[in-house]
């Protein structure tokens, strides 16, 4: 009998795999923030189609938009500019006129694309309502260090009830980077801040920032798949050259996270379909910020056996890892550490100490193929080294057939069989002919945080 969940058709496989996400997202509220740059891009219509698709799948959507390039163009046409002092823009009367014009123009553009229903376009047959309004009350940021910032403001209140009503009516709410004051004034706001405050006020399930850049990256420009607010604070403090826009998005993300928004995604808006990939597949198209560690590094337990086997058996079949029977894995389970994500084992490593020699063998290091090249191997190794150090181990060794260079790049040096503890030497498999590597560990255990 064939298993009807299996198919060789990638489309059918993809559609089935996305169904749990479709169910999970239905009825949820997402706040999506995009910059004015996105509106000018040739791919903007695709992004709007993706938003329409999300709405069609029953997601309650609020779109907060920026209008920076549109404002700047208008200012330039008038021979004016906007001063930026201490990272904040000064909005004088002339600039405010440009802000109002630009925000209006961007909103109209979004509404026009949402209204599109041409046959043979992805929007054929759709009828989407867009609703905008005076949802945000603002106050001036005022005079700081002697500088009058004019009509530059900050969010004072969000009318969540009015927004909810629009969403209940089935509309997509569109919120500009503007706020109104009870004195009848208009204030120029940061879209990132507006989006964060709207998400907080609505108790949104997700806040999604669509960035000009790739997402949150580490010092080697690798995407950071997940971070907690404390880690984002550290990045903000350390990286002085972060673009101002990114800085604002990151600040918005940590504020929202600390005030109860469960998931904040930072995605590149340049990557076609990033939103769909992030929401409907297991792949990371960008970075996720949550209050709690989302991926956890922890000791393996007996009920992890099935997940561990699923991870390592394909590598055993390729001869990359030594074969371990289920029974052996069961008896050795206490030696294993694993990384878990969404209930799935995505990486593992084992440590076999030889206390008399103050040595330990590092073995069975593996990261699930879908999750490689994201620095997990690095973090797992760091975790295993910490684990060894607290057990009084001075030296790690390992045997490898195909991964020598990965370990060498991380401080392991080639060794010889005779360097191994006597007991281990006796178990060496000459047929496998694995190479020996070792690494001396510094004595003090580091305080590097583990687990994500
Ligand atoms: C080796 C392994 C654990 C690395 O995990 P990872 O999460 O991808 O590791 P990182 O993201 O920290 O590092 C990725 C880097 O390692 C490199 N790399 C991966 N496998 C490598 C190998 N066999 N030899 C040399 N470099 C390798 C990648 O090209 C990448 O390099 P880059 O940063 O310059 O682009 C993973 O590839 C794996 O599970 N491999 C199969 C199992 C295995 O070989 N285990 C060792 C048994 S002794």
């Amino acid at each position: 009998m064939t298993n009807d969940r299996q198919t060789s058709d990638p489309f059918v496989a993809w559609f089935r795999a996305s169904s749990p996400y479709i169910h999970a997202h239905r009825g949820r509220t997402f706040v999506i923030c995009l910059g004015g740059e996105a509106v000018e891009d040739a791919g903007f219509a695709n992004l709007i189609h993706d938003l329409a698709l999300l709405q069609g799948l029953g997601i309650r959507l609020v779109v907060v938009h920026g209008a920076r390039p549109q404002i700047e163009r208008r200012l330039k046409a008038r021979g004016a500019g906007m001063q930026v002092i201490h990272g904040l823009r000064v909005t004088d009367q002339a600039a405010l006129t440009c802000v109002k014009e630009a925000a209006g123009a961007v909103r109209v553009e979004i509404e026009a694309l949402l209204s599109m229903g041409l046959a043979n376009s992805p929007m054929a047959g759709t009828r989407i309502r867009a609703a905008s309004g005076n949802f945000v009350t603002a106050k001036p940021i005022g005079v700081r260090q002697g500088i009058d910032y004019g009509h530059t403001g900050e969010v004072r209140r969000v009318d969540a009830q009015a927004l909810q009503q629009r969403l209940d009516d089935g509309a997509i709410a569109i919120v500009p980077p503007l706020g109104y004051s009870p004195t009848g004034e208009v204030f120029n706001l940061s879209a990132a801040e507006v989006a964060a405050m709207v998400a907080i006020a609505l108790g949104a399930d997700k806040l999604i920032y669509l960035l000009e850049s790739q997402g949150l990256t580490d010092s080697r420009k690798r995407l950071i798949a997940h971070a907690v607010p404390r880690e984002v604070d550290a990045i903000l403090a350390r990286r002085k050259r972060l673009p101002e826009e990114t800085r604002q998005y990151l600040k918005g993300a940590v504020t929202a996270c600390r005030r109860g928004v469960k998931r904040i995604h930072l995605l590149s808006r340049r990557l076609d379909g990033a939103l769909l990939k992030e929401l409907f597949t297991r792949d990371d198209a960008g970075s996720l910020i949550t209050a709690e560690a989302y991926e956890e590094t922890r000791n393996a337990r007996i009920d992890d056996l099935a997940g561990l086997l699923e991870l390592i058996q394909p590598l055993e079949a390729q001869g990359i890892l030594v074969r371990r029977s289920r029974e052996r894995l069961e008896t050795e389970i206490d030696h294993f550490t694993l990384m878990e994500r969404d209930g799935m084992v995505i990486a593992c490593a084992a440590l076999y100490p030889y206390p008399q020699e103050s040595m330990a063998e590092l073995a069975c290091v593996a990261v699930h193929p879908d999750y490689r090249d994201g620095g997990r191997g690095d973090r797992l190794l760091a975790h295993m080294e910490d684990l060894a150090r607290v057990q009084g181990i001075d030296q790690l060794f390992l045997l490898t057939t195909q991964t020598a260079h990965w370990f060498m790049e991380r401080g392991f040096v080639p060794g010889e069989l005779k360097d191994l503890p006597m007991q281990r030497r006796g178990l060496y498999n000459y047929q496998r002919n694995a190479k020996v590597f070792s690494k001396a560990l510094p004595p003090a255990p580091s305080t590097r945080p583990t687990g994500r």
Side-chain angles (χ1 to χ4, degrees):
M1 203 176 78
T2 57
N3 179 348
D4 66 2
R5 300 297 299 171
Q6 282 173 3
T7 173
S8 56
D9 184 328
F11 170 76
V12 175
W14 172 83
F15 208 85
R16 283 180 182 153
S18 62
S19 60
Y21 299 98
I22 295 176
H23 296 304
H25 297 328
R26 179 169 302 132
R28 306 275 178 192
T29 303
F30 295 179
V31 176
I32 299 182
C33 180
L34 47 93
E37 294 81 0
V39 183
E40 312 225 306
D41 193 281
F44 188 54
N46 285 343
L47 180 59
I48 292 289
H49 296 160
D50 290 350
L51 294 180
L53 177 61
L54 297 185
Q55 210 232 10
L57 291 171
I59 296 167
R60 296 157 67 86
L61 280 187
V62 180
V63 176
V64 178
H65 66 82
R68 187 67 47 218
Q70 292 83 356
I71 294 169
E72 256 142 40
R73 217 175 21 254
R74 282 173 172 78
L75 280 166
K76 206 168 156 200
R78 289 173 159 88
M82 216 188 265
Q83 261 189 305
V84 181
I85 306 175
H86 305 307
L88 288 170
R89 287 184 162 74
V90 179
T91 313
D92 58 19
Q93 200 55 47
L96 183 66
T97 305
C98 297
V99 170
K100 288 197 265 188
E101 281 178 21
V106 170
R107 194 200 69 218
V108 170
E109 185 64 30
I110 295 174
E111 286 176 355
L113 284 170
L114 283 173
S115 308
M116 212 166 99
L118 284 183
N120 70 31
S121 88
M123 304 277 282
T126 50
R127 181 82 192 89
I128 291 175
R129 287 195 204 129
S132 80
N134 56 344
F135 304 118
V136 177
T137 305
K139 60 181 184 215
I141 66 166
V143 180
R144 295 189 184 180
Q145 295 173 319
I147 313 288
D148 182 355
Y149 285 91
H151 291 275
T152 298
E154 58 193 6
V155 177
R156 184 169 159 186
R157 200 175 334 109
V158 173
D159 189 348
Q161 199 189 355
L163 272 168
Q164 296 286 19
Q165 271 169 8
R166 305 302 187 281
L167 300 178
D168 290 344
D169 285 348
I172 294 184
I174 301 178
V175 183
L178 292 180
Y180 304 92
S181 74
T183 55
E185 284 169 276
V186 179
F187 289 95
N188 177 19
L189 306 176
S190 131
E193 189 208 354
V194 172
M197 300 312 275
V198 166
I200 294 165
L202 289 177
D205 299 283
K206 282 183 192 292
L207 166 59
I208 303 173
Y209 285 116
L210 295 172
L211 314 187
E212 290 308 295
S213 57
Q214 190 194 0
L216 193 55
T217 50
D218 65 13
S219 52
R220 288 171 67 195
K221 298 239 172 348
R222 297 196 298 194
L223 189 71
I224 298 175
H226 175 252
V228 293
R230 173 176 43 82
E231 291 167 320
V232 180
D233 285 343
I235 290 170
L236 281 168
R238 206 173 50 231
R239 299 233 201 111
K240 300 290 175 223
R241 282 185 305 169
L242 272 181
E244 191 45 43
E245 230 84 274
T246 310
R247 197 167 273 284
Q248 289 190 7
Y249 285 143
L250 291 179
K251 284 186 185 162
V254 282
T255 305
C257 191
R258 291 202 165 109
R259 292 181 57 187
V261 179
K262 289 212 171 57
R263 293 187 171 209
I264 299 102
H265 300 256
L266 300 163
L267 302 179
S268 165
R269 62 111 188 138
R270 291 168 191 272
L271 191 67
D272 188 25
L275 204 50
L276 302 182
K277 253 180 95 175
E278 179 82 1
L279 294 174
F280 298 103
T281 72
R282 270 187 177 273
D283 297 337
D284 295 321
S287 310
L288 175 67
I289 296 167
T290 59
E292 303 283 328
Y294 171 61
E295 271 179 30
E296 191 190 5
T297 304
R298 60 169 174 81
N299 296 336
R301 299 182 294 255
I302 201 73
D303 52 354
D304 296 316
L305 215 58
L308 270 174
L309 282 166
E310 209 167 300
L311 171 67
I312 63 180
Q313 273 171 345
L315 295 164
E316 291 176 359
Q318 293 166 45
I320 296 174
L321 296 178
V322 176
R323 273 191 195 281
R324 281 176 175 77
S325 64
R326 176 178 265 273
E327 294 68 34
R328 179 170 163 204
L329 202 58
E330 210 173 311
T331 52
E332 294 182 356
I333 197 81
D334 291 342
H335 293 281
F336 277 76
T337 294
L338 54 80
M339 278 183 168
E340 186 192 288
R341 179 191 167 102
D342 263 353
M344 178 173 151
V345 178
I346 59 160
C348 71
L351 193 72
Y352 297 91
Y354 293 86
Q356 276 186 330
E357 289 87 347
S358 303
M359 292 171 96
E361 176 175 1
L362 180 65
C364 207
V365 179
V367 174
H368 187 287
D370 290 353
Y371 295 95
R372 286 187 194 158
D373 293 335
R376 291 183 179 84
D378 255 344
R379 288 198 298 278
L380 186 59
L381 179 62
H383 179 93
M384 299 310 282
E385 290 179 7
D386 286 349
L387 211 61
R389 264 175 283 188
V390 294
Q391 294 179 33
I393 303 295
D394 301 334
Q395 198 173 20
L396 279 185
F397 70 88
L398 60 92
L399 290 104
T400 182
T401 52
Q402 296 177 33
T403 321
H405 279 233
W406 191 82
F407 289 107
M408 282 163 76
E409 285 169 24
R410 285 151 184 86
F412 282 80
V413 293
E416 289 181 41
L417 199 53
K418 67 173 176 51
D419 303 332
L420 303 188
M422 176 81 90
Q423 213 184 332
R424 181 64 179 87
R425 250 179 282 162
L427 295 171
Y428 185 77
N429 178 343
Y430 285 90
Q431 211 180 351
R432 188 170 156 77
N433 198 20
K435 293 196 171 96
V436 176
F437 286 86
S438 69
K439 180 174 180 176
L441 299 176
S446 90
T447 50
R448 186 191 293 114
T450 57
R452 288 177 18 111

